[in-house]
Amino acid sequence: MAKNKAVSKIIENNTMEIVTKKSLAAKESLESIFAEFLRLEVADGKASSKTIRNYMAGVKTFLLWCKINFVTNPNMATVDTIKLYREDLVKKGYKESTIALKLVAVRRLFDALVEKKAIAMNPASKVKAPREKTAREEKIKYLPSVS
């Protein structure tokens, strides 16, 4: 029950709408489609409120970026749109792991739109976050053997 309250508060603050292919008269907000998808699909329907909040925050950041960059209909985004968003995150100095989380949220948004049949394909499905620049030696997490 607490999960739904947290999601509905976020939904009320955003009003971007899309028209699904099923019915031009039936309008649903991106956030409500995404919130329903998260509730039913993420973690097999058992996503924590923190997980849902993080996904919603990532999508809200993307939607704000769309508005600032004159992407008037985010559900019509292309692969190039998502790559420009990623490039902007890099230029702003976000860490690779943060960019990865933001892109996962966007990817899941478009998964929801595909499932809802509002769009045919997910433009974010193959856009990856930049790779971390950590030296390979620093990533190895085992102790050397002693002879």
Side-chain angles (χ1 to χ4, degrees):
M1 192 74 147
K3 290 182 196 176
N4 294 337
K5 287 182 183 178
V7 172
S8 63
K9 286 180 184 175
I10 295 170
I11 292 170
E12 290 169 6
N13 294 331
N14 292 316
T15 56
M16 293 184 126
E17 294 181 341
I18 64 163
V19 178
T20 65
K21 288 182 180 179
K22 287 183 177 179
S23 168
L24 292 175
K27 290 187 177 182
E28 296 181 73
S29 72
L30 289 171
E31 292 82 10
S32 65
I33 290 171
F34 190 51
E36 179 183 5
F37 178 82
L38 292 176
R39 187 175 56 80
L40 299 174
E41 298 294 329
V42 175
D44 297 322
K46 295 181 182 179
S48 72
S49 59
K50 184 177 178 182
T51 298
I52 291 174
R53 189 173 49 247
N54 288 338
Y55 273 106
M56 292 301 287
V59 166
K60 188 174 179 180
T61 301
F62 173 69
L63 295 177
L64 179 60
W65 179 88
C66 287
K67 186 176 182 179
I68 291 168
N69 290 280
F70 306 104
V71 179
T72 56
N73 196 350
N75 65 311
M76 301 301 271
T78 64
V79 172
D80 288 337
T81 306
I82 308 304
K83 287 179 179 179
L84 288 171
Y85 175 61
R86 177 186 62 192
E87 178 183 53
D88 191 55
L89 294 173
V90 170
K91 285 180 181 176
K92 288 181 177 174
Y94 285 101
K95 290 183 178 183
E96 291 83 358
S97 58
T98 301
I99 295 171
L101 288 173
K102 290 181 182 299
L103 289 176
V104 165
V106 171
R107 197 171 302 118
R108 297 298 282 176
L109 169 67
F110 287 107
D111 284 343
L113 293 174
V114 168
E115 185 174 290
K116 193 78 168 174
K117 298 191 183 346
I119 60 174
M121 63 157 259
N122 182 340
S125 65
K126 297 194 178 177
V127 179
K128 296 180 181 180
R131 292 187 180 187
E132 291 189 42
K133 297 171 188 153
T134 306
R136 186 170 184 220
E137 304 80 42
E138 292 179 31
K139 287 186 178 183
I140 298 173
K141 303 289 182 192
Y142 64 89
L143 296 173
S145 62
V146 179
S147 311

